[in-house]
Amino acid sequence: MELEGKNLKLAPLTIEDAYDMRSWGQHKSKLLADYNFPYINDTEVKTWFRFKTFNWRNSYFSVRDKDGRLVGYMGIKNKRPFKRTAFLGIVFDPDNINKGLGTEALETFLPYYFEKLRMKALLLEVAEFNERAIHVYEKLGFKKTAYYLDPFPDQGIDRSDPELIRWESCFVFDGEKIYNYIYEMKLTKDVYLSRKRS
């Protein structure tokens, strides 16, 4: 399966794609550090790739630009064949965000997901403080369906970090534990088709 957009191409994720991720930049925001690709040696990359791809309920895709550079990857996780739903995961090279590539990748992927795979709904989870991502999802028709607390991935983050202070309302500090608010969002096939027709 290969999907082509105006500036991007999506294809099944390969181990070579995983090796390419080692050249990606790093997020300046400590709040997004969990999205930095941390695996340096070949063994760690292979372990990461196997973890991502061994489960039949998950499917991952590389996102390359028109020059063939790997700019991101995305996937559908926890596929539920009878309910025809799955959860979206999407990660981009920090050096290639705020360029409209994430939006284009999703616009390229959604027809395949809803029309070719005949799925009924696509769900995702996004941190409340990640306003940029929420804006993209809402622009594509995703609606907020749940709001809850989850343990923050980086429990060792400096609590005096200016960004953490700026987004303090999105966090709960319980002793040594740090939690952050998460939105679950959903795009249904009906909404997707309605937006496509209009």
Side-chain angles (χ1 to χ4, degrees), residues 27-173:
H27 284 284
K28 293 181 178 69
S29 170
K30 298 279 196 327
L31 301 185
L32 298 173
D34 192 51
Y35 290 96
N36 292 331
F37 193 76
Y39 305 103
I40 302 303
N41 68 51
D42 288 359
T43 300
E44 290 174 319
V45 172
K46 288 174 185 173
T47 300
W48 178 89
F49 180 75
R50 280 195 300 270
F51 175 76
K52 287 289 187 185
T53 59
F54 84 97
N55 191 330
W56 68 269
R57 295 176 68 198
N58 302 338
S59 299
Y60 284 91
F61 309 91
S62 63
V63 182
R64 290 188 177 271
D65 67 14
K66 57 189 175 184
D67 297 318
R69 290 183 298 244
L70 184 77
V71 293
Y73 75 93
M74 59 186 297
I76 47 176
K77 308 173 286 184
N78 302 322
K79 285 183 278 189
R80 301 178 74 177
F82 297 109
K83 289 195 171 185
R84 307 203 72 76
T85 65
F87 273 82
L88 173 72
I90 184 165
V91 177
F92 268 73
D93 173 4
D95 292 340
N96 282 286
I97 58 173
N98 297 320
K99 297 180 180 180
L101 299 177
T103 301
E104 183 179 342
L106 285 169
E107 288 173 337
T108 303
F109 179 73
L110 291 175
Y112 170 79
Y113 181 81
F114 285 117
E115 298 173 39
K116 180 74 173 175
L117 299 183
R118 296 198 230 175
M119 302 295 272
K120 291 184 177 178
L122 182 59
L123 300 98
L124 61 84
E125 295 177 310
V126 60
E128 182 184 23
F129 63 77
N130 196 345
E131 288 186 332
R132 178 185 56 80
I134 292 169
H135 174 73
V136 169
Y137 300 140
E138 289 181 331
K139 188 166 67 170
L140 293 168
F142 284 86
K143 306 292 185 191
K144 295 169 182 169
T145 55
Y147 183 65
Y148 48 87
L149 277 174
D150 246 5
F152 186 61
D154 183 5
Q155 290 292 310
I157 191 170
D158 181 356
R159 295 192 185 198
S160 65
D161 182 273
E163 276 206 283
L164 190 61
I165 294 169
R166 176 186 172 205
W167 295 105
E168 189 174 9
S169 64
C170 301
F171 290 83
V172 170
F173 303 95

Side-chain angles (χ1 to χ4, degrees), residues 1-4 8-12 61-63 74 105 108-109:
M1 182 283 296
E2 283 196 357
L3 304 173
E4 287 206 40
L8 298 174
K9 180 183 286 187
L10 278 63
F61 309 91
S62 63
V63 182
M74 59 186 297
T108 303
F109 179 73

